[in-house]
Amino acid sequence: MKYFVVLIFSFLLLSTPLYAQDYKKHTVEKGETVVSIAKKYKITPYDIYRINPDAKNGIKENTVLLIPGTSKVPKAEPEKVKPTKVANTIHEVTAKETLFSLAKKYDVSVDDIKKANGTALDNGLQIGQKVIIPIKGSGVAAQVKAEKKEDKKPNSPSYFFHTVEAGETKYSIAKQYGMSLQLLEELNPEVKDTLPLGYKLKLDKKAVVEKDKTQPIPVAATKKAYADYTVQPKETVYSLTKDNDITEAEFFELNPQAKEGLKEGMVIKLPVAGGAAASTSTVATAPVLGNASKAISGLAGTLKKSETKDLALVLPFNLSRIESDTVRSKLLRSDKFLNMTLDFYAGALMAIDSAKVLGLPLKVKIIDAKETKSSFDAAGVAASVGGMDAVIGPFFPNNAESLASALASKGIPVISPLSKDDTKPYSNLFQSVPSPERVRLSMLDYLKTKGGNIIAVVDAKKASSKQFIKTNLPSAQFAPLSPDGTIVVEGLKNMLVKGKVNYVILETERSGMILGTTKTLVDALAEYQIQLVVLERYDAFDNDELPLTRLAVLKMLYPSVTNDSDTPEGILFGRIFKEKNNIMPNQFATRGFDVTFDAILRLFQQDSFKEVMTEKASEAVESKFDYASQNGGNYNTGVYILYYDQDLSTKVAQ
């Protein structure tokens, strides 16, 4: 599925520069808004703002707007331009920002940010800290000065040049070549605080020669050892090569039988971590079989294009509220619900574009739900979507229930796109976001498969959490607490076991308890194998006093409805979305794409939509869809088990 998403994104990206879009002129009439005009031309408000930037300040009657047309005319490919050199920038950290959020904001990888800052991020991000971001952008004037010829004067030192790569700093380059930072700066006075990517730094050959004399003789690489491995459900060639740090070419060389398709239960060969001398005492993080009952299906490989399908998007634009440009402008600035709707809609439109790339005979109907939490005309909307094959929306769970009830006799499936709380059971209603209880339960189910020693440290104020763990994970032991509610250090240490992984569940929202417990666990790592586990990632874990490195050392496991790791699919989706909308996608835009594209692929299968929904699991950009029928309803159970790796990145454990 994910290979397919990348293919679709790549096609959209590569096809963009080959065509020029024609435009229409639209004269604004009385009462019209950007939202209503966008709806009229079946485009997004972002499309209008992108080519009419003044419209962000409001539009008036008789204003002429350029509207991107739907027809495209061939245009000669632009002349290839030599890539522009790129400069770094400085970002001052604000509250609750993380490396992942900065990477998304600046469209760079977490690794590049860490490389650019050397050891400055070892203790985590601090509010007010200035972080170097290797951002893509305009050229750098200083690059011109990098082409100076070597000084040919007698007795002058001999120089060579080092081309700056992504993530490098003056300090890291000086250290690499055994030079002092002062000497490097004296040789390159043009470079001030940050290094431009591609800049040619002048370095002293003599300093490097002296360093080379001290280098130890390289040791030959250890020969890799391999072991048999049984393929588990949901595993793919991509996940196996990524988790075992090998290329696809190496994988297929080891396992030629997999070229015809990787199957559950197939015995393959994989490298043993660390080679022949690898230790078996490390914490296991490879994908394992959890409570999932269905393997991820390649829905894109079984598309049936012979019949036209009709999809309705019932979204809460609430256009009746927008009586004037002034009101519209105010709502766009202050109404978070409207902005969330527009973001979701922008992502959904990308999914519809992807369906067009596939050549799917899809018809889409956009309906203003005109909903609030307490108001929704279910009968009116049901009449509008009576002939649809599937409906996405409305947003509020009680409204989704009302629409499902109104459409139940016709058997039209309704997908609730955003609600986290369990809806009432209807046979034609599908809740696409796993409930908080299912998310927490998925972590306990994961731990059951690990065979480790499980200890729970539960806040005295979390009595319901303690009962939840007791009921669903009877093997867990509970660490003792002092009368004031703090952890009894010796009591916790006495429960640790040597020879197996100790999974310590920490359930608290108190910063003090988090700091104390994690420090105790880090101190015990010298004697025991320990992995920290949380059932919910509370805000208290973003405490400035708690360095991210501590959570990374403990390889903290947590469950999530979204894949927070850096994936090729997520990076490419962000790139395409930004090119189309001039902004990076937020969680609602990505959700709009995932839910819509998954529904489209399920519509065009051999089996009925209901059968495909409940019998096949799938994965999109950052969401997993694994629907289960329970108590007469249909609920998504697709949850990611993630962990912080020691390189400060987030990775998927399952």
Side-chain angles (χ1 to χ4, degrees):
M1 168 66 183
K2 285 208 165 189
Y3 288 123
F4 182 72
V5 173
V6 171
L7 179 63
I8 290 296
F9 287 164
S10 299
F11 186 91
L12 290 173
L13 177 64
L14 292 173
S15 63
T16 299
L18 299 178
Y19 296 91
Q21 201 167 25
D22 60 327
Y23 297 98
K24 300 177 181 178
K25 290 184 178 181
H26 176 86
T27 301
V28 178
E29 298 178 0
K30 186 176 181 179
E32 282 190 323
T33 66
V34 171
V35 174
S36 65
I37 295 171
K39 183 179 179 182
K40 177 179 180 180
Y41 289 100
K42 296 182 179 180
I43 59 176
T44 70
Y46 297 114
D47 293 327
I48 296 177
Y49 291 137
R50 185 171 65 248
I51 56 178
N52 302 274
D54 291 341
K56 294 180 180 179
N57 300 320
I59 57 175
K60 298 179 180 180
E61 186 178 355
N62 296 322
T63 299
V64 177
L65 297 176
L66 288 178
I67 305 296
T70 55
S71 62
K72 296 183 178 180
V73 294
K75 175 186 175 183
E77 279 192 82
E79 181 183 353
K80 292 185 177 180
V81 180
K82 186 177 180 180
T84 307
K85 300 301 179 184
V86 188
N88 299 324
T89 190
I90 300 295
H91 175 88
E92 186 170 334
V93 179
T94 58
K96 295 189 177 182
E97 285 188 319
T98 64
L99 284 175
F100 180 73
S101 67
L102 292 182
K104 268 199 166 184
K105 179 176 182 178
Y106 289 101
D107 193 20
V108 296
S109 71
V110 171
D111 285 340
D112 283 349
I113 296 177
K114 288 188 291 188
K115 289 177 183 177
N117 291 273
T119 59
L121 301 181
D122 285 356
N123 294 321
L125 294 180
Q126 306 295 326
I127 295 178
Q129 180 181 7
K130 293 184 178 179
V131 178
I132 299 173
I133 306 291
I135 187 172
K136 301 173 183 179
S138 58
V140 183
Q143 175 62 31
V144 179
K145 299 180 181 179
E147 308 297 339
K148 289 183 177 179
K149 295 181 179 180
E150 290 189 26
D151 190 1
K152 300 298 184 180
K153 293 181 181 179
N155 302 321
S156 64
S158 55
Y159 302 115
F160 74 104
F161 293 94
H162 170 88
T163 302
V164 177
E165 297 180 355
E168 289 186 319
T169 64
K170 288 187 287 186
Y171 173 79
S172 68
I173 295 172
K175 185 176 180 181
Q176 176 184 347
Y177 290 104
M179 299 171 57
S180 69
L181 182 59
Q182 180 181 354
L183 176 57
L184 185 146
E185 290 179 336
E186 288 176 355
L187 292 172
N188 302 274
E190 307 90 353
V191 181
K192 303 299 181 184
D193 296 329
T194 58
L195 282 178
L197 297 186
Y199 185 89
K200 293 183 179 179
L201 280 174
K202 182 188 289 185
L203 303 178
D204 187 351
K205 283 184 180 179
K206 289 185 178 180
V208 177
V209 170
E210 289 175 1
K211 174 178 180 283
D212 287 343
K213 291 178 181 178
T214 66
Q215 293 297 311
I217 299 174
V219 179
T222 304
K223 186 177 180 180
K224 284 187 177 180
Y226 299 94
D228 289 339
Y229 177 81
T230 302
V231 177
Q232 302 295 326
K234 300 188 177 183
E235 288 186 326
T236 63
V237 172
Y238 173 78
S239 67
L240 290 172
T241 54
K242 183 179 180 182
D243 290 324
N244 291 278
D245 196 24
I246 59 175
T247 64
E248 285 193 19
E250 185 177 356
F251 177 87
F252 286 120
E253 184 177 349
L254 290 170
N255 306 284
Q257 73 277 20
K259 291 181 179 179
E260 297 181 2
L262 195 67
K263 300 178 181 178
E264 177 185 346
M266 180 183 288
V267 178
I268 59 175
K269 289 190 178 297
L270 291 175
V272 177
S279 169
T280 59
S281 63
T282 55
V283 176
T285 55
V288 298
L289 176 63
N291 66 326
S293 58
K294 303 187 286 292
I296 298 294
S297 300
L299 297 175
T302 55
L303 293 172
K304 179 185 177 183
K305 305 180 183 180
S306 57
E307 297 179 17
T308 299
K309 299 293 182 179
D310 295 282
L311 175 68
L313 296 179
V314 180
L315 306 179
F317 295 111
N318 289 303
L319 296 178
S320 58
R321 295 182 303 162
I322 306 175
E323 300 174 353
S324 65
D325 292 338
T326 302
V327 173
R328 177 201 58 79
S329 181
K330 182 179 179 181
L331 288 174
L332 286 174
R333 289 195 305 268
S334 61
D335 193 322
K336 293 182 179 179
F337 191 67
L338 175 59
N339 280 279
M340 176 187 71
T341 302
L342 294 175
D343 291 329
F344 184 94
Y345 180 51
L349 288 179
M350 276 192 62
I352 295 168
D353 286 344
S354 298
K356 292 178 181 177
V357 170
L358 288 172
L360 297 178
L362 175 71
K363 292 183 179 179
V364 180
K365 189 173 185 179
I366 311 297
I367 297 174
D368 185 356
K370 301 177 183 177
E371 67 170 319
T372 66
K373 194 171 184 179
S374 58
S375 174
F376 176 64
D377 181 11
V381 173
S384 300
V385 299
M388 298 291 109
D389 293 293
V391 177
I392 296 175
F395 281 3
F396 288 109
N398 55 317
N399 296 338
E401 292 168 6
S402 299
L403 183 59
S405 177
L407 295 174
S409 61
K410 298 181 179 180
I412 298 175
V414 175
I415 300 172
S416 178
L418 296 177
S419 172
K420 296 180 181 179
D421 297 325
D422 274 355
T423 54
K424 293 179 182 178
Y426 289 94
S427 61
N428 63 325
L429 180 58
F430 297 84
Q431 181 173 315
S432 67
V433 182
S435 67
E437 183 175 356
R438 284 187 177 81
V439 173
R440 293 162 69 85
L441 186 60
S442 68
M443 176 56 78
L444 300 186
D445 288 339
Y446 172 82
L447 294 178
K448 290 177 184 177
T449 69
K450 304 304 292 180
N453 178 44
I454 303 173
I455 304 168
V457 179
V458 183
D459 196 318
K461 297 180 179 180
K462 294 276 187 181
S464 60
S465 294
K466 187 172 184 178
Q467 186 58 47
F468 180 78
I469 296 172
K470 277 185 177 181
T471 302
N472 296 289
L473 192 60
S475 61
Q477 308 173 69
F478 291 87
L481 301 179
S482 63
D484 63 357
T486 59
I487 186 71
V488 178
V489 174
E490 288 305 316
L492 174 58
K493 287 185 176 179
N494 289 336
M495 300 176 77
L496 297 173
V497 175
K498 292 185 178 180
K500 60 170 58 178
V501 179
N502 294 273
Y503 293 98
V504 180
I505 303 172
L506 179 56
E507 179 68 1
T508 181
E509 295 183 60
R510 290 192 294 138
S511 298
M513 192 170 185
I514 293 173
L515 290 169
T517 304
T518 54
K519 184 180 185 304
T520 299
L521 296 179
V522 169
D523 293 341
L525 280 174
E527 298 181 62
Y528 302 94
Q529 301 170 59
I530 300 171
Q531 189 159 19
L532 178 65
V533 179
V534 298
L535 303 184
E536 184 175 344
R537 198 182 179 287
Y538 297 112
D539 290 341
F541 284 93
D542 291 322
N543 191 324
D544 292 338
E545 297 180 27
L546 179 65
L548 183 60
T549 50
R550 185 183 298 181
L551 301 180
V553 166
L554 293 170
K555 289 196 169 183
M556 187 181 84
L557 281 162
Y558 68 97
S560 175
V561 298
T562 59
N563 186 349
D564 299 337
S565 63
D566 288 329
T567 64
E569 299 80 24
I571 294 170
L572 191 52
F573 173 77
R575 182 181 175 189
I576 302 296
F577 188 93
K578 186 175 181 180
E579 288 193 2
K580 286 180 173 291
N581 302 291
N582 270 346
I583 57 171
M584 290 297 291
N586 60 15
Q587 59 178 318
F588 299 111
T590 308
R591 185 72 187 168
F593 175 86
D594 283 359
V595 172
T596 306
F597 193 53
D598 181 71
I600 292 172
L601 292 183
R602 290 175 184 272
L603 279 172
F604 288 93
Q605 300 295 314
Q606 298 290 333
D607 297 327
S608 69
F609 187 79
K610 177 66 181 290
E611 289 175 321
V612 177
M613 288 292 275
T614 55
E615 295 177 6
K616 293 186 178 181
S618 64
E619 198 170 6
V621 173
E622 66 174 27
S623 303
K624 189 184 296 184
F625 299 98
D626 186 358
Y627 291 95
S629 295
Q630 298 173 352
N631 302 320
N634 307 286
Y635 306 95
N636 185 14
T637 63
V639 177
Y640 291 96
I641 304 297
L642 305 170
Y643 70 96
Y644 288 146
D645 204 356
Q646 293 186 354
D647 62 359
L648 303 183
S649 65
T650 303
K651 290 186 171 63
V652 177
Q654 174 180 300

